[in-house]
């Protein structure tokens, strides 16, 4: 599938998550600052993951039962209030990430972990497909010691059972500040179905994710 994606990019022009500002302006939606989930956020739990380009990661997470909202953004670095252009240089220390608001009575943190590892390749250091750099690293940002222990235990299990062909390189770090991305990056996948990157890279990943998480997804 990855070879087909690169063939598409070669034929129709190279495209990656780090697009030009002009290309990014094709998306329109409610600002992430005012976007509200279907239930009050203070009644929901929150999880934060980074699995490469956040356009695809957001779309995969949105499909899970019990997930009420997903915000694309930046975390893990030192630059305050970073812009997309700054993060794309790889110099801010931030990763493209998503903040998931979910109902723990419907979907567990364990299921979110399973979905996270099903949605990307956690064995490639600072890279996902055509996107390369620390901003595309695989990372999980925990909020409590219990979450950290659960993450490490699950990763240990995945490595022990050889769930992947290579060892997992996912970073596990305490969450600091999460900065929501610019408006045009929220729901980018759904707002830009004909974008070359969506068609060549993101859509195959999302379809693969849906097969792996069958039975745990919202009705479409």
């Amino acid at each position: 599938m990855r070879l087909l994606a690169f063939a598409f990019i070669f034929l129709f022009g190279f495209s990656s998550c780090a697009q030009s500002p002009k290309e990014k302006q094709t998306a329109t939606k409610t600002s992430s600052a005012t976007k509200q989930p279907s239930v009050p956020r203070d009644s929901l739990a929150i999880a934060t993951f980074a699995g490469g380009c956040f356009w695809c990661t957001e779309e995969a997470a949105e499909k899970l039962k019990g997930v009420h909202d997903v915000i694309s953004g930046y975390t893990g670095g030192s630059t305050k209030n970073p812009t997309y252009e700054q993060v794309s240089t790889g110099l801010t220390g931030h990763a493209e990430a998503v903040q998931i608001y979910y109902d723990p009575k419907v979907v567990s943190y364990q299921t979110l972990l399973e979905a996270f590892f099903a949605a990307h390749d956690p064995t490639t250091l600072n890279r996902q497909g055509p996107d390369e750099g620390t901003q595309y690293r695989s990372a999980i940002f925990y909020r409590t010691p219990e979450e950290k222990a659960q993450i490490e235990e699950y990763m240990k299990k995945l490595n022990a059972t050889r769930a992947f062909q290579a060892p997992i390189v996912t970073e596990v770090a305490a969450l600091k500040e999460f900065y929501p991305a610019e408006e045009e990056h929220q729901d980018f996948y759904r707002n830009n179905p004909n974008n070359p990157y969506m068609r060549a890279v993101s859509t195959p990943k999302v379809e693969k994710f849906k097969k792996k998480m069958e039975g745990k997804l919202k009705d479409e």
Side-chain angles (χ1 to χ4, degrees):
M1 188 63 72
R2 182 172 292 178
L3 291 177
L4 291 177
F6 278 105
F8 184 95
I9 292 172
F10 177 79
L11 290 173
F12 294 94
F14 179 80
S15 181
S16 72
C17 190
Q19 293 184 309
S20 68
K22 182 178 180 181
E23 290 174 309
K24 291 186 293 170
Q25 294 301 326
T26 57
T28 58
K29 66 160 287 175
T30 303
S31 170
S32 62
T34 59
K35 179 183 175 186
Q36 294 296 322
S38 56
V39 298
R41 279 185 178 157
D42 58 8
S43 67
L44 301 173
I46 308 173
T48 305
F49 300 99
C53 178
F54 49 22
W55 298 336
C56 179
T57 309
E58 178 189 19
E59 177 63 17
E62 288 272 17
K63 294 186 177 298
L64 291 170
K65 292 179 181 178
V67 170
H68 288 265
D69 194 19
V70 183
I71 301 297
S72 288
Y74 319 109
T75 192
S78 57
T79 301
K80 295 183 178 180
N81 301 308
T83 65
Y84 183 73
E85 287 72 22
Q86 289 175 320
V87 173
S88 293
T89 67
L91 300 177
T92 66
H94 287 297
E96 290 193 9
V98 296
Q99 191 136 280
I100 302 171
Y101 293 83
Y102 68 100
D103 184 348
K105 295 179 181 179
V106 179
V107 59
S108 67
Y109 190 75
Q110 178 62 38
T111 296
L112 294 182
L113 288 177
E114 293 170 7
F116 170 72
F117 284 103
H120 77 301
D121 183 353
T123 69
T124 53
L125 185 63
N126 299 329
R127 180 165 194 160
Q128 287 294 309
D131 299 314
E132 185 174 8
T134 57
Q135 67 271 34
Y136 302 116
R137 66 187 182 274
S138 174
I140 304 175
F141 300 92
Y142 62 85
R143 287 172 168 73
T144 66
E146 291 76 18
E147 281 187 356
K148 180 183 180 183
Q150 190 172 352
I151 295 164
E152 293 176 340
E153 181 63 26
Y154 186 57
M155 288 173 54
K156 181 179 178 180
K157 177 182 177 181
L158 291 175
N159 278 324
T161 59
R162 298 183 182 276
F164 298 96
Q165 295 182 345
I168 293 172
V169 296
T170 301
E171 173 190 2
V172 180
L175 178 69
K176 295 180 181 178
E177 186 75 17
F178 179 87
Y179 300 96
E182 297 84 342
E183 179 179 335
E184 61 264 27
H185 294 293
Q186 310 301 329
D187 287 341
F188 190 96
Y189 182 99
R190 299 187 185 191
N191 289 328
N192 297 270
N194 295 319
N195 178 283
Y197 182 90
M198 297 297 100
R199 296 170 63 186
V201 180
S202 296
T203 296
K205 287 180 66 176
V206 170
E207 291 303 313
K208 184 177 180 180
F209 168 82
K210 288 165 62 176
K211 291 180 180 179
K212 289 184 176 180
M213 298 303 294
E214 187 175 2
K216 297 181 179 180
L217 305 176
K218 300 171 184 172
D219 295 331
E220 294 187 333

